[in-house]
Amino acid sequence: MLKRLDKIRFRGQKRDEFLDLAESPNASDTECGDENPVKIPRTSLKDTEELKDPAGSGTIVMASGVAEYSRTESDRLNEVKGHLEIALLEKHFLQEELRKLREETNIETLKQELEKERQRRTELEQKITEIAKTRTDESATQQLSKQPSQTNGADKQRSKTMCYRVQKWFYDKFGEYIEDFRFQPEECTVETEEPLSARRLTENMRRLKRGAKPVTNFIKNLSALSDWHSVYTSAIAFIIYMNAVWHGWAIPMFLFLAILRLSLNYLIARGWRIQWSIVPQVSETIELPKEDLTVSEKFQLVLDVAQKAQNLFGKMADILEKIKNLFMWVQPEITQKLYICLWAAFVASCFFPYKTIGLCMGLYAGIKFFLIDFIFKRCPRLRAKYDTPYIIWTSLPTDPQLKERTNATSSRRIQTVYSRGNLASSAPQGVNRDEETGRFHSTKKSSFQEIFSLAEAERPLPACETGWRCCLINRDRKMPTDYIRNGILYVTENYLCFESSRSGSSKRNKVIKLTDITDIQKYKVLSVLPGSGMGIAVSTPSTQKPLVFGAMVHRDEAFETIFSQYVKITSAVTNSDT
């Protein structure tokens, strides 16, 4: 603080340059005290002339003395002004420092805390004195009571030390196991989901394939045994199995096979080259993962994985739904067979010993696996007639099949009611009802022939009764309205028909004879998009560029139908020509 004041004193303007106290902003009556402001006397020219001595030079000396006196007085006044201003500034800075110190220290709160601490100290001192008094009283009473019972106290102390040692030994030996049985709240850990990436997706697919390979190989070996792929191996396995079942060694045989498999796996892990498989293993080419994939490759990869997952989930859903429907009496005649078999097994388990039951089940399983399944696989007609498990499993419906059945039955009912009402109302008197129904169906089916001006025998094939929605791209036309047309594509026995959705007349429709087609193939309209495309290109002699039927959702199904009918018609024509 003193250093700051010294800087303030000896820093700044000279004293001669200080403002007048009356003109300074900090000067006030309260700050300067009771002193009145000093007014400086100003001498005018008239006064100086009056002060001049008429004698001559003496008057000049007196005038100079008066001027020096006035100068010294003005210097003193200026010095006093400077001191006052310095004092005012010091006072102002000291007040600011005091205010800051009070805000920082909070003397009042410190005083209150000190008083509280003093009160606590006094209370603690009182409690200590009271406890000391009670202890002294207790020690006096204990000394009196210890004299007759010193021997009893020593025995008790020994027993306490022994108990403490036993407890310590027990805790050192079994303390860890006791701590393991202490109940603790379960920790809820939330697994972080990884973002979708093409590299991670391909790696997981390869991992799944490698992990499922032992299971698939085991199933292939079992099916090879049942199919007698290797006659000697299947015959030896059949004889060993039936002998083990007959003597009651089936469970030891399976355990021995499991031990043998683990031993072989151990030797393979140690570097031995052992191949024990009925079906010869085909070495698959290992595809190295690509570091950088293009957008189309990533999209195609996602589509392939989605297709595989869709098919896998569909098969699993079919199996689960069939099992559910079997136990929920959806097909009562099938579930009734299972119900009777369970009752028969329950009665047999109550009256027959388990050894005979196990023998019968083992013999039936061996004969069914090695002989009956082999015959049924070679003769599908026998299997469809006499293989009861296969018949039950194939006849069990899934939920989508049940929904289709209910929709078909409801639509049939509605159609029968509607057709009966229309026929009853529209049939004239004297006309037979069978004739009227024939007219009704013939008029309904003649609309397709009227649209394309075809013969009555030409009707859409069963695979495309509703047609395939697509757009016809005629690249020979230059007008936008004729270049692309939206509509529906049909296939009949001899024609490929396209019905335009904007057709006010039959001019916009397109009819192509299958025998006139020179080439038909799958087509990709935009090469930038991933996949094999969604179009079919048809070449005819009348068009310079092939007609393209694009934007078909079921492109592959439509191509197979059109191509098979095209091959059928062309082969029939060539045979007739020859």
Side-chain angles (χ1 to χ4, degrees):
M1 189 69 194
L2 294 172
K3 290 180 180 179
R4 190 181 292 177
L5 291 173
D6 292 336
K7 288 179 182 179
I8 292 167
R9 287 178 182 176
F10 300 104
R11 182 184 62 191
Q13 298 175 353
K14 295 181 181 180
R15 292 181 179 179
D16 296 337
E17 296 176 358
F18 284 116
L19 297 171
D20 195 356
L21 286 173
E23 296 176 358
S24 63
N26 293 324
S28 62
D29 295 338
T30 58
E31 290 178 348
C32 295
D34 296 330
E35 294 179 1
N36 293 323
V38 181
K39 294 183 179 180
I40 300 168
R42 297 179 181 179
T43 56
S44 62
L45 294 172
K46 291 181 180 180
D47 295 333
T48 54
E49 288 178 356
E50 288 177 358
L51 287 173
K52 287 181 182 180
D53 191 11
S57 62
T59 56
I60 295 167
V61 171
M62 287 180 67
S64 63
V66 170
E68 289 177 358
Y69 178 75
S70 62
R71 286 177 185 174
T72 55
E73 287 296 326
S74 63
D75 292 336
R76 288 175 185 175
L77 288 172
N78 290 329
E79 189 175 356
V80 169
K81 286 180 186 179
H83 285 296
L84 286 172
E85 288 182 358
I86 291 166
L88 290 172
L89 290 171
E90 288 176 357
K91 182 180 177 181
H92 178 71
F93 283 113
L94 286 171
Q95 287 177 354
E96 290 291 328
E97 292 292 333
L98 280 172
R99 186 174 60 78
K100 290 179 180 179
L101 288 171
R102 285 175 182 174
E103 289 177 355
E104 291 176 357
T105 55
N106 294 325
I107 297 170
E108 294 179 356
T109 56
L110 291 173
K111 287 180 179 179
Q112 292 177 0
E113 289 179 357
L114 282 172
E115 290 178 357
K116 289 180 181 178
E117 292 293 332
R118 286 173 185 173
Q119 291 177 0
R120 289 177 185 173
R121 183 181 176 183
T122 53
E123 290 176 356
L124 289 172
E125 287 177 354
Q126 290 176 1
K127 288 180 181 179
I128 289 166
T129 53
E130 289 176 358
I131 291 166
K133 287 179 182 179
T134 53
R135 284 185 178 178
T136 53
D137 296 336
E138 288 177 357
S139 62
T141 54
Q142 284 177 0
Q143 286 177 1
L144 294 172
S145 63
K146 276 182 181 179
Q147 291 176 358
S149 62
Q150 285 180 355
T151 58
N152 295 328
D155 295 335
K156 288 180 181 179
Q157 190 174 3
R158 288 176 185 175
S159 63
K160 286 181 180 179
T161 54
M162 288 293 293
C163 292
Y164 177 73
R165 288 177 182 176
V166 170
Q167 289 178 358
K168 187 177 180 182
W169 177 82
F170 184 78
Y171 185 78
D172 292 338
K173 292 290 184 183
F174 304 101
E176 295 181 359
Y177 304 103
I178 294 168
E179 290 292 332
D180 293 337
F181 286 96
R182 183 175 291 178
F183 291 100
Q184 294 179 355
E186 294 182 357
E187 296 180 357
C188 297
T189 57
V190 179
E191 295 182 358
T192 58
E193 295 183 355
E194 296 182 0
L196 182 64
S197 64
R199 185 181 299 173
R200 189 67 175 172
L201 187 61
T202 53
E203 184 181 353
N204 290 336
M205 289 296 295
R206 291 192 182 94
R207 286 173 56 197
L208 180 63
K209 194 173 181 180
R210 289 195 299 269
K213 192 174 182 180
V215 180
T216 55
N217 290 335
F218 178 72
I219 294 169
K220 286 179 181 178
N221 289 325
L222 285 179
S223 62
L225 279 175
S226 178
D227 294 337
W228 293 74
H229 185 272
S230 175
V231 179
Y232 299 106
T233 307
S234 297
I236 293 167
F238 178 69
I239 294 167
I240 292 171
Y241 174 79
M242 297 300 287
N243 191 15
V245 170
W246 183 258
H247 291 91
W249 297 341
I251 295 173
M253 181 190 69
F254 288 120
L255 293 175
F256 177 75
L257 289 174
I259 294 167
L260 182 62
R261 182 72 256 183
L262 286 174
S263 303
L264 290 173
N265 291 337
Y266 175 77
L267 294 175
I268 291 167
R270 288 292 180 181
W272 291 47
R273 292 183 180 180
I274 300 171
Q275 186 176 358
W276 184 45
S277 178
I278 301 168
V279 181
Q281 295 182 357
V282 180
S283 61
E284 297 179 356
T285 57
I286 300 172
E287 296 180 359
L288 295 174
K290 295 181 180 180
E291 295 182 355
D292 297 329
L293 295 174
T294 61
V295 177
S296 61
E297 289 176 348
K298 289 180 180 179
F299 188 74
Q300 188 64 35
L301 180 65
V302 171
L303 289 177
D304 294 339
V305 173
Q307 185 180 4
K308 291 179 182 178
Q310 174 190 349
N311 298 331
L312 179 63
F313 293 156
K315 292 177 182 178
M316 293 172 65
D318 290 341
I319 294 168
L320 295 174
E321 286 173 358
K322 284 186 176 183
I323 295 169
K324 181 197 73 172
N325 294 330
L326 176 63
F327 287 96
M328 293 302 293
W329 293 83
V330 175
Q331 292 286 336
E333 62 276 5
I334 296 173
T335 311
Q336 188 177 2
K337 295 178 182 178
L338 177 65
Y339 189 70
I340 293 168
C341 290
L342 290 174
W343 270 110
F346 173 73
V347 173
S349 64
C350 291
F351 291 100
F352 294 100
Y354 290 105
K355 187 176 181 180
T356 56
I357 294 171
L359 177 63
C360 294
M361 292 177 66
L363 292 173
Y364 173 74
I367 295 168
K368 177 79 168 60
F369 181 78
F370 285 99
L371 300 177
I372 298 173
D373 286 346
F374 174 74
I375 296 169
F376 283 155
K377 286 178 182 178
R378 295 295 184 273
C379 304
R381 291 184 179 180
L382 288 175
R383 187 174 191 178
K385 289 181 180 179
Y386 301 107
D387 194 358
T388 305
Y390 175 77
I391 293 167
I392 290 172
W393 183 254
T394 53
S395 59
L396 279 172
T398 59
D399 290 345
Q401 291 175 354
L402 290 172
K403 189 181 288 185
E404 288 178 1
R405 290 179 185 178
T406 54
N407 292 332
T409 53
S410 61
S411 63
R412 285 174 186 174
R413 289 174 184 175
I414 292 167
Q415 284 179 0
T416 53
V417 172
Y418 180 73
S419 61
R420 287 175 184 175
N422 288 335
L423 291 172
S425 61
S426 62
Q429 295 181 357
V431 179
N432 194 6
R433 181 169 291 181
D434 295 334
E435 295 177 358
E436 187 62 30
T437 54
R439 290 179 185 176
F440 178 76
H441 288 292
S442 64
T443 53
K444 185 177 180 180
K445 291 182 180 178
S446 64
S447 60
F448 180 80
Q449 289 81 9
E450 290 177 358
I451 291 170
F452 296 104
S453 301
L454 297 174
E456 293 182 0
E458 295 294 336
R459 295 178 182 178
L461 296 177
C464 63
E465 288 181 351
T466 57
W468 300 292
R469 289 195 172 273
C470 63
C471 62
L472 174 60
I473 303 172
N474 191 353
R475 293 184 291 179
D476 291 339
R477 304 290 181 90
K478 295 182 179 180
M479 294 297 292
T481 55
D482 296 333
Y483 186 77
I484 298 175
R485 299 178 193 171
N486 294 320
I488 302 172
L489 184 65
Y490 297 95
V491 182
T492 64
E493 292 183 358
N494 298 307
Y495 294 95
L496 187 65
C497 306
F498 176 78
E499 182 184 0
S500 180
S501 58
R502 297 181 182 178
S503 60
S505 62
S506 60
K507 292 182 180 179
R508 292 181 176 270
N509 298 334
K510 192 75 175 176
V511 179
I512 303 170
K513 199 171 183 180
L514 293 176
T515 55
D516 295 339
I517 295 173
T518 57
D519 187 18
I520 180 171
Q521 59 184 353
K522 295 180 181 180
Y523 187 76
K524 188 175 181 181
V525 180
L526 296 175
S527 59
V528 180
L529 295 176
S532 59
M534 299 173 67
I536 298 172
V538 177
S539 301
T540 58
S542 60
T543 57
Q544 295 179 358
K545 296 179 181 179
L547 297 172
V548 178
F549 299 96
M552 298 179 71
V553 178
H554 304 284
R555 193 275 306 274
D556 295 334
E557 180 185 353
F559 180 79
E560 289 177 1
T561 306
I562 296 167
F563 189 75
S564 61
Q565 187 65 22
Y566 169 71
V567 171
K568 181 180 177 182
I569 293 296
T570 52
S571 62
V573 171
T574 53
N575 291 328
S576 63
D577 292 338
T578 55

